[in-house]
Amino acid sequence: MSILVNKDTRVLIQGITGRTGQVALRTMLEYGTKVVAGVTPGKGGQTTEGVPVYNSVHEALKNHPEINCTAVYVPPAAAKEAVIEAVSNGIKLVNLITEGVAIQDTVQMIRYANIYGARIIGPSSIGIVSPKQCKIGVLGGIKDDTDKIYTPGPIGVISKSGGMTNETAWVVRSAGLGQSTVIGIGGDVILGTDFVDLLRMFEKDPETKGVVIFGEPGGTYEDKIAEAIKKKEFTKPIAAFIAGVFAEKLPHGTQFGHAGALIENGRGSPTEKIKALREAGVLIAETHDKLGELIKGAI
Amino acid sequence: MRLYEFESKQLLRKHGIKVPIGILSTSAVSEMPFDDVVVKAQVLSGGRGKAGAIKAFSNSAEAVNFTNSLLGSLVLKEKVKSVLLERKTKTKEEFYISFLYDTDSQLPVLLLSTRGGVDVVELAKGNLVKKPIDQLLGLKEWQARDAAVDAGFPSELIPKISEFALRLYSVFLEEDCRLLEINPLSLTEEGELVAVGALIELDNDAGYKHKDRVYPPRMIGVGRELTDRELSVKQVDEADYRGSVKFIELGGDIGFLAAGGGGSMAAMDALILAGGNPANYAEFSGDPPKEKVYALTKAILGQPCLKGLWIVGAIANFTRVDQTMQGVVEALREVKPKYPIVVRRSGPYEREGLQLLRDVGKELGLDLEVHGSEVSMTSTAKTIMERLK
């Protein structure tokens, strides 16, 4: 088992002929991901790496009704419309890889996704891996490296940092464990899918016995984990590492006497996040490399 | 990006929001433009009032002295480069209003209070109204009215406040703000609403919609001018759009070079926990060309009093280890450091990249230890600390 993506996932790539879309396409095909179609307006009728290209999501779905997930690789200014196009055509899972999406656009696309009952992972997501079943994005790089890090197993992995997603999956692997599903949720202010959304899914996944989390400063998403645990929405063990404690001690830490500090209600700093998580029973890794042993000891 | 108060007010004025008449002074003054004047140091950090950097005067000589003493001084660890001299607003009452993005509701929210001129965190303990705004509907007049009612505004003020909220929300959207805060919002004796205090944070990611914007680059609260080394790294970074490099000097004795934003934070935490005193923070990401990594490494190695160097990175997805390490190798070849160096990096072309380092280590007789993914990333913080003993 796994969450979000599995062997039955059939992937559309929006922005398939762009530079990053091409790299992702090749990496995903090499891993065995079923990429069945791509969209680039004006390039319909072409094929790339054997995958047909269409002018629109509607046209792609007409020819490949089995599509159940889209990976979005369009430039930031086009991301909002690309996501709305996908969800309004009925695609329920959107992995938005694009970085640098305007916050106003993110908020709007999430509202549309909610209306259509779709889920957005991202923006700025590094991708999703359910080992040996499906990989969206470039996680792990080439197949040999991906196979070294990712193997089926009982641990769910959720990371805000794209660059640390491999490493977090790797400390789990180094502890002799595999992963059920590994998700890069992105580090933007507004996230399509946050830790708690995914914890609820991992709770229902019988294969997942515990979850490992990489968190960062800012926002309230880590704090919401503590609230979800208290409400018994998630009952399996969690090991978490929250990066950025050092930044609080730097001489140039900025005091925010404004609404940003208020809205987070004192919850934005890594120290506060760690405190809230620890009180809720989450195992806190003081250094990142301890995550694997911590979760191993808990499951 | 956060705007200075005077920049925020320029933006508001452009949209027809009333702000006090003011003059920005960047050099010493000999007289005041107004009899009743408010002198406000222009720094980016919050809490200027409490720090004594905002004062009202009715005596021109005192105001002149205060202005001149502010210019060039440090306020909240930030050098004051300009001072805003504003005509004092004849205020009857002060309120609070802001718009920002809320991570709980994943929506923009309106915050409103009948108490202004106080820190918003203080306000939150009392009657501060928070209204999430559905961005598909926009802010409706009746929602703004509801917020004003809930905040406890008297009936005769409610149309005025709700109309102001709507106008401010359109500025928030049109200018792609992350935060637009008016504190205090003054109700004048003439019955006008004036934005006496203003703070705007723009969404950098929406910059492509506002190509006409020209704000000079800024670092919040660094509290000092950039060093020559920091400046040189910044210039190299800005000269090439591929990848990015960041460098901040911290004054310790261990050179630090990390890959990736999240990775560099995790590594800094591990180094400090292991008892290390980092000389700097440095990070490269997004598969930068070797020239950028070279310039960054040179800046790190150029710091005095280094006792060790830690080069650290996660298992990269697509940043090539060989290309980025080539930049490190070139800098090492020039500087030939005598102190211990510990490297941990993995990812595409790891074998080639790490071999480059081992080769230059052997060639120059460096005290160099190189690891790939066989050891975990943050555990090598202890390795460098042990090598320093």
Side-chain angles (χ1 to χ4, degrees):
Chain A
M1 282 281 283
S2 55
I3 67 167
L4 296 168
V5 297
N6 56 39
K7 60 183 174 26
D8 298 322
T9 301
R10 297 294 178 271
V11 182
L12 173 74
I13 297 180
Q14 287 171 269
I16 194 166
T17 57
R19 193 175 58 85
T20 51
Q22 284 282 298
V23 173
L25 169 64
R26 285 192 288 270
T27 312
M28 287 157 73
L29 288 175
E30 188 203 23
Y31 193 71
T33 301
K34 306 284 188 303
V35 181
V36 298
V39 170
T40 299
K43 296 198 176 171
Q46 300 182 9
T47 60
T48 172
E49 306 286 330
V51 174
V53 181
Y54 298 93
N55 292 301
S56 71
V57 172
H58 176 73
E59 192 189 4
L61 278 168
K62 209 162 66 182
N63 289 281
H64 307 272
E66 70 276 21
I67 290 168
N68 51 15
C69 171
T70 178
V72 179
Y73 280 91
V74 303
K80 182 180 84 175
E81 286 305 315
V83 170
I84 295 174
E85 183 184 357
V87 300
S88 58
N89 274 287
I91 298 178
K92 300 295 182 201
L93 180 62
V94 178
N95 193 184
L96 177 55
I97 309 291
T98 308
E99 292 181 50
V101 178
I103 192 166
Q104 211 182 121
D105 292 356
T106 301
V107 167
Q108 287 195 19
M109 66 174 84
I110 292 172
R111 282 291 289 117
Y112 277 99
N114 290 344
I115 289 169
Y116 287 97
R119 171 167 298 291
I120 300 170
I121 310 284
S124 311
S125 164
I126 189 75
I128 310 168
V129 181
S130 291
K132 302 267 188 248
Q133 297 191 69
C134 179
K135 168 164 104 170
I136 313 281
V138 298
L139 271 169
I142 60 167
K143 185 170 187 302
D144 285 353
D145 291 345
T146 313
D147 286 341
K148 191 179 97 176
I149 303 168
Y150 297 91
T151 196
I155 307 301
V157 177
I158 315 172
S159 175
K160 260 190 183 176
S161 163
M164 284 300 281
T165 309
N166 276 340
E167 190 72 25
T168 305
W170 177 239
V171 294
V172 169
R173 182 87 188 89
S174 301
L177 298 168
Q179 310 90 1
S180 52
T181 301
V182 178
I183 307 110
I185 58 173
D188 284 20
V189 174
I190 300 291
L191 304 178
T193 296
D194 68 10
F195 293 112
V196 170
D197 295 327
L198 295 174
L199 286 175
R200 289 196 190 109
M201 293 186 197
F202 277 129
E203 177 75 10
K204 287 189 197 135
D205 175 34
E207 193 204 348
T208 302
K209 306 293 182 210
V211 174
V212 161
I213 276 167
F214 185 99
E216 288 182 353
T220 57
Y221 299 109
E222 289 83 357
D223 310 80
K224 285 157 89 174
I225 297 171
E227 290 157 27
I229 294 170
K230 282 177 198 154
K231 285 190 235 152
K232 307 258 185 253
E233 290 177 310
F234 190 78
T235 59
K236 299 173 184 180
I238 304 178
F241 174 77
I242 310 295
V245 173
F246 81 95
E248 296 174 48
K249 295 173 189 151
L250 291 184
H252 40 78
T254 308
Q255 295 299 313
F256 293 102
H258 68 85
L262 162 79
I263 207 75
E264 289 163 6
N265 222 351
R267 294 184 295 178
S269 76
T271 303
E272 291 297 326
K273 286 173 195 281
I274 288 167
K275 189 165 164 268
L277 289 173
R278 195 170 261 149
E279 279 169 12
V282 172
L283 303 164
I284 298 294
E286 281 204 309
T287 54
H288 179 263
D289 53 292
K290 300 281 183 273
L291 277 173
E293 296 154 36
L294 274 181
I295 199 67
K296 192 179 186 178
I299 61 168
Chain B
M1 180 178 65
R2 187 182 290 201
L3 298 186
Y4 289 101
E5 182 189 13
F6 73 93
E7 293 170 328
S8 299
K9 286 179 170 170
Q10 280 167 358
L11 207 56
L12 290 170
R13 195 181 289 122
K14 197 179 99 186
H15 288 272
I17 305 279
K18 206 155 169 111
V19 298
I21 296 169
I23 286 171
L24 188 72
S25 184
T26 53
S27 57
V29 295
S30 53
E31 56 183 6
M32 281 292 126
F34 315 106
D35 292 336
D36 285 316
V37 68
V38 184
V39 178
K40 308 176 99 175
Q42 298 298 291
V43 292
L44 294 166
S45 300
R48 287 176 298 160
K50 274 186 202 157
I54 299 176
K55 278 184 187 166
F57 295 93
S58 46
N59 176 321
S60 179
E62 281 175 25
V64 166
N65 286 341
F66 182 63
T67 304
N68 294 340
S69 73
L70 279 178
L71 281 163
S73 71
L74 282 184
V75 168
L76 299 161
K77 295 174 186 164
E78 196 180 330
K79 194 168 181 180
V80 179
K81 288 182 179 160
S82 61
V83 175
L84 184 60
L85 310 173
E86 283 187 338
R87 188 162 72 188
K88 194 169 189 304
T89 305
K90 289 187 176 122
T91 299
K92 211 168 100 190
E93 280 184 84
E94 291 189 334
F95 312 128
Y96 175 93
I97 183 167
S98 68
F99 292 97
L100 73 158
Y101 288 91
D102 172 30
T103 56
D104 281 339
S105 61
Q106 290 182 320
L107 290 171
V109 290
L110 160 64
L111 299 179
L112 189 62
S113 173
T114 52
R115 286 180 65 209
V118 225
D119 191 306
V120 69
V121 181
E122 283 299 310
L123 276 186
K125 295 169 189 162
N127 193 12
L128 182 72
V129 168
K130 173 176 159 185
K131 285 265 179 211
I133 301 156
D134 184 333
Q135 244 181 342
L136 299 188
L137 287 174
L139 178 63
K140 294 292 177 188
E141 188 275 332
W142 50 266
Q143 284 177 313
R145 209 180 335 126
D146 283 348
V149 171
D150 290 352
F153 282 92
S155 294
E156 66 273 18
L157 278 181
I158 280 173
K160 200 184 277 285
I161 293 292
S162 56
E163 187 263 348
F164 185 83
L166 289 173
R167 274 171 56 206
L168 204 61
Y169 185 61
S170 70
V171 179
F172 179 75
L173 290 185
E174 266 179 57
E175 295 292 344
D176 283 282
C177 302
R178 286 193 160 195
L179 167 70
L180 200 182
E181 181 179 67
I182 308 294
N183 188 25
L185 172 66
S186 276
L187 178 69
T188 65
E189 286 165 3
E190 293 79 31
E192 276 186 316
L193 289 174
V194 178
V196 167
L199 174 62
I200 289 178
E201 272 186 40
L202 298 173
D203 181 5
N204 290 350
D205 292 332
Y208 69 91
K209 298 186 209 169
H210 306 277
K211 292 233 168 71
D212 52 325
R213 271 182 192 161
V214 272
Y215 293 113
R218 57 206 58 192
M219 272 170 120
I220 291 184
V222 173
R224 53 173 170 76
E225 301 285 305
L226 295 187
T227 66
D228 290 343
R229 281 184 289 266
E230 287 169 342
L231 205 59
S232 72
V233 171
K234 201 168 158 55
Q235 282 161 352
V236 169
D237 191 38
E238 284 166 1
D240 188 334
Y241 72 94
R242 294 171 295 166
S244 74
V245 289
K246 292 195 187 80
F247 178 64
I248 304 169
E249 292 188 36
L250 302 172
D253 55 14
I254 301 172
F256 176 87
L257 174 58
S264 63
M265 283 197 280
M268 278 292 272
D269 286 341
L271 182 58
I272 288 166
L273 202 67
N277 186 9
N280 66 281
Y281 168 83
E283 179 250 328
F284 66 88
S285 49
D287 203 10
K290 68 172 187 192
E291 291 77 13
K292 276 196 174 181
V293 182
Y294 163 78
L296 182 60
T297 313
K298 277 281 280 188
I300 295 165
L301 299 178
Q303 298 173 111
C305 315
L306 290 190
K307 288 183 184 156
L309 173 65
W310 187 32
I311 300 173
V312 61
I315 308 172
N317 295 302
F318 262 89
T319 295
R320 284 183 64 151
V321 175
D322 56 343
Q323 282 176 13
T324 45
M325 286 306 142
Q326 184 64 43
V328 173
V329 163
E330 284 171 21
L332 288 175
R333 203 176 292 251
E334 282 177 29
V335 180
K336 302 185 185 64
K338 299 269 189 296
Y339 40 75
I341 303 170
V342 171
V343 181
R344 194 285 191 177
R345 178 61 163 157
S346 183
Y349 299 90
E350 168 181 334
R351 195 180 309 149
E352 293 81 353
L354 300 185
Q355 195 55 47
L356 283 172
L357 285 164
R358 290 191 184 103
D359 289 348
V360 78
K362 203 174 280 178
E363 179 195 321
L364 303 175
L366 302 176
D367 180 1
L368 176 73
E369 185 178 329
V370 179
H371 298 282
S373 61
E374 74 282 357
V375 297
S376 69
M377 180 184 145
T378 49
S379 68
T380 56
K382 284 190 215 112
T383 316
I384 181 73
M385 290 312 290
E386 277 157 23
R387 296 296 295 265
L388 292 189
K389 278 178 192 162

